[in-house]
Each structure stands twice: as structure tokens, then as C-alpha cells.
Amino acid sequence: MAKRLLAVLLAGVMTLSLAACGGAGGAAPAQEAAPAAAAADAAAGAAGGDLSSKKVGVCIYQFSDNFMTLFRTELESYLISLGFAKENITIQDGANDQGTQSNQIDAFIADGVDVLIINPVNSSSAATITDKVVGAGIPLVYINREPDADEEKRWADNDWNVTYVGCDARQSGTMQGEIIGDLGLDALDFNKNGKVDYIMIEGDPENVDAQYRTEFSVKALTDAGFEVNCLTDQVGNWDQAQGQQLVANALSQYGNDIEVVFCNNDAMALGALQAIEAAGRKVGTDIYLVGVDALTEVVEDVIAGSITGTVFNDHVSQSHSAADAAANYLKGTKNEHYIGCDYVKVTTENAQAILDSLK
Ligand code: BGC
């Protein structure tokens, strides 16, 4: 499954990297999927029975998060395919509470885990977490919520076995803006005021993914020469129910003036879609809607035309890179301190291929 997915995505990445070239700068250099797969195969071979006795502690910020559920499921099965034993992999739910997660980290350290993979509840707690884990002599792989540049610099300066695996959220925001911009002003400007009137539904504002998607989706539109008008910008904390409520409120307040709904992730886009349908509006006819992640349900909606587009947040590549990095540390091999991956734009043109590859 993974190989087929990577092949499809690699084709997509090659096309889309070109499309993203003129977009907002700063997207991380493309980390190609194929070498990652080759490295994974090599790791699987080289690791052998080596890893079977190694204990892995995984901290997820919140189990109920749809995207992190895909991520942790793939992470566990890939760790096993590398040679780790299922009974030696423990995955904890931080329940969106940093105190709870910090206690889980303490317990993992006391238990003598060999490596930790951490999706922090608050990325601002990374320095404290790093000090604790490095102090205990345990290699550390951060995932999904990127610590800030000062924190990442400490890992390099001290040559610590600490790395971050994730995608550059600026790229995902840019792709959202491009999906909308590609529709053209004639299609977008229902109220004929010459502007793209939008609402923004944000994830957790502490998270750079939310900050960058919010900024770069709109920047892609203004860079393409559109005039934009933000009707409202609300925090939905990555959550479907909150997304639904916020979009329902916005629709009743701004009505037909809302032309585009930007959601920082797909869970909130699914909530937005419920609110849009309940208000008697129709995506593609009198409003547009974009998310990020490429949850299966959303890709199906893109195919059906009920969601305009999304951006594939490659949980397969990210979870594999995180597991490979953990295995490398255990084998005495260093990792780069930042391991990136590319997002992939999902529209009606490639949604079926993406869906097939995810199955
Ligand atoms: C995903 C969101 C998810 C968040 C969790 C983001 O990269 O797009 O769906 O809720 O990570 O940190």
C-alpha cells in the first residue's frame, strides 16, 4: 500500500512543486517520497531483530483528533514493520492537556523507554520536554507540532539526538489559496463587489500550522492579484463541532456575502459543510470551501463536488520518517534536526487517484 501511495504522490509532488514555485516563499525544500521509502526499506533490513527489544514511548496530543488518529495508526504499524515489537510500543493520549502529557513523559522516562516520539500539546513546552528527555539520555523525535526556531537551534548547537518531523504549513496554506484563486474572480465574486469575501476558521492559534495556513492561504490570493475581504476569523481548535458552529454563526450573520470558507483542517471543513448545507447553500454553486489533511471523507466530498478542495497532509510519509528517525537513533545513526515532507493539492482532478492510493 505504502509504495503505491508514494508513487502516486511523488507524481503529484513533482507537478505541484512547480505550481507552488511562485507562491509564498519559505516552504521547506521538497523532501522526496521515494528516497524516504528506500530508506525505510533499508532500515527494515538493517534493523533486523535489533529493534524488537527496544521500548518506544509515543505521546499524542489528543487521540480524538482525526488527523492524529491516522498518523498514530500508521506510525504503530510501520514501527512494527521496522522490527519493533507491538508490546514494546506504548502510545499515550495527552487529552489536549500539557500537564497530563508531561506526566506521561515522566512515566516513560521512569520506565526506561529507549526512544520517545512526541506530538506536544503545546509546542511552547518543547524546551522543557527536550531538557527532561535529553537529560535522561533518551533520543527524541517531535512530530506534527513544530517547536520554534530557537528550540531547534539548541538541538543542532548541542548535537543532541533530537529532531522534528513535519511538513511546512506555509505550503499547505499557499495551496489552499491557489485552489481558490484558480477558480478566477468571475466564479468567486458572487456579490460582484470585486473582492473575494471569505471567512477563516482557524485551528489552535498556538500551533504554527494554524498560523501559517491562515496567513499563506490569503497571501496566495493577494499575490495572484485578488482583492480580499475577511468577514470574520474564528478559532475552531481543529474540531468539527466547533467548525460547524462557527460557520453556522457566520452564515447567519454575513449570509450570501460569504464566498469562500477557509478551514485550517478537514475536520473543521466537514463541520463547515454541515453548516453550509443546513443554511441551504451549495458548494461550487454559491460558495466555496477548502480544508487541509485529505481525510477520506473529505476527498470523497471533493470528488462529489461538495467540498472545493483540500491539501494532502502526508501522514504516511511523516509517520514513516518519524519511525525511521527513531530507529536510526537506536542504531547509533544521526538524523537531520528537521525532516520535512511535501503537501499535495487535492482537487477534482486528482482526488480519485489520491483516494485510491490511501486505501
Ligand atoms: C492537521 C490538523 C490537526 C493538527 C494537530 C495539523 O497538521 O492538519 O488536522 O488537528 O495538525 O496538531
Side-chain angles (χ1 to χ4, degrees), residues 9-62:
L9 295 180
L10 188 58
V13 162
M14 290 166 93
T15 321
L16 294 163
S17 304
L18 292 177
C21 281
Q31 161 126 346
E32 283 160 23
D41 289 346
D50 225 1
L51 301 170
S52 65
S53 60
K54 300 293 185 192
K55 289 202 240 174
V56 189
V58 181
C59 293
I60 299 296
Y61 96 93
Q62 175 159 249

Side-chain angles (χ1 to χ4, degrees), residues 61 65-68 119-120 143-145 169 203-204 207 209-210 213 237-239 264-267 292-293 295 313 318 343:
Y61 96 93
D65 183 291
N66 314 42
F67 174 73
M68 289 315 301
N119 167 216
I143 53 170
N144 172 256
R145 296 185 155 190
D204 162 17
N207 189 317
D209 284 8
R213 288 174 192 166
N237 290 308
W238 307 117
D239 179 73
N264 282 175
N265 77 347
D266 276 355
V292 174
D293 284 336
L295 298 180
N313 190 0
Q318 290 172 76
Y343 285 98

Side-chain angles (χ1 to χ4, degrees), residues 51-333:
L51 301 170
S52 65
S53 60
K54 300 293 185 192
K55 289 202 240 174
V56 189
V58 181
C59 293
I60 299 296
Y61 96 93
Q62 175 159 249
F63 273 13
S64 62
D65 183 291
N66 314 42
F67 174 73
M68 289 315 301
T69 300
L70 292 173
F71 196 124
R72 74 184 144 95
T73 306
E74 185 64 31
L75 177 64
E76 184 178 29
S77 63
Y78 186 72
L79 281 166
I80 293 168
S81 78
L82 285 185
F84 290 93
K86 187 172 170 44
E87 61 273 19
N88 289 335
I89 304 167
T90 309
I91 308 183
Q92 296 284 14
D93 180 3
N96 205 20
D97 181 75
Q98 190 56 60
T100 300
Q101 185 176 70
S102 298
N103 291 338
Q104 291 165 346
I105 295 169
D106 291 343
F108 275 136
I109 293 173
D111 188 39
V113 292
D114 296 291
V115 63
L116 276 164
I117 299 176
I118 297 182
N119 167 216
V121 173
N122 298 327
S123 15
S124 57
S125 298
T128 314
I129 295 172
T130 304
D131 286 342
K132 205 186 267 190
V133 175
V134 168
I138 299 170
L140 170 58
V141 179
Y142 282 107
I143 53 170
N144 172 256
R145 296 185 155 190
E146 188 173 1
D148 64 21
D150 287 347
E151 171 60 7
E152 291 187 358
K153 186 170 178 302
R154 287 197 318 141
W155 313 339
D157 289 350
N158 294 291
D159 196 26
W160 286 336
N161 282 344
V162 182
T163 186
Y164 171 72
V165 175
C167 305
D168 187 321
R170 287 171 280 206
Q171 188 186 38
S172 54
T174 300
M175 287 179 173
Q176 285 189 298
E178 288 172 350
I179 291 170
I180 294 302
D182 283 350
L183 299 167
L185 189 63
D186 281 351
L188 290 165
D189 192 15
F190 296 112
N191 65 8
K192 299 293 167 215
N193 66 353
K195 298 176 189 169
V196 179
D197 299 284
Y198 71 92
I199 64 169
M200 181 68 67
I201 307 298
E202 293 194 35
D204 162 17
E206 212 233 30
N207 189 317
V208 288
D209 284 8
Q211 295 161 12
Y212 281 150
R213 288 174 192 166
T214 298
E215 179 185 349
F216 282 78
S217 52
V218 176
K219 184 174 186 307
L221 284 178
T222 52
D223 284 352
F226 291 94
E227 246 195 276
V228 296
N229 178 32
C230 179
L231 293 165
T232 185
D233 183 328
Q234 301 285 334
V235 171
N237 290 308
W238 307 117
D239 179 73
Q240 177 166 350
Q242 291 187 46
Q244 177 180 11
Q245 192 56 57
L246 293 170
V247 175
N249 294 348
L251 285 166
S252 63
Q253 187 170 355
Y254 301 104
N256 290 340
D257 275 337
I258 303 177
E259 293 163 342
V260 176
V261 180
F262 282 110
C263 294
N264 282 175
N265 77 347
D266 276 355
M268 298 189 295
L270 286 169
L273 178 58
Q274 292 171 301
I276 287 168
E277 287 176 344
R281 304 281 295 275
K282 195 164 187 309
V283 171
T285 302
D286 57 22
I287 195 164
Y288 298 97
L289 170 62
V290 278
V292 174
D293 284 336
L295 298 180
T296 301
E297 203 180 334
V298 170
V299 180
E300 284 165 354
D301 284 327
V302 172
I303 293 167
S306 48
I307 290 184
T308 312
T310 184
V311 178
F312 180 49
N313 190 0
D314 191 344
H315 62 278
V316 179
S317 163
Q318 290 172 76
S319 57
H320 291 197
S321 294
D324 288 340
N328 284 342
Y329 282 141
L330 292 175
K331 287 183 283 162
T333 310

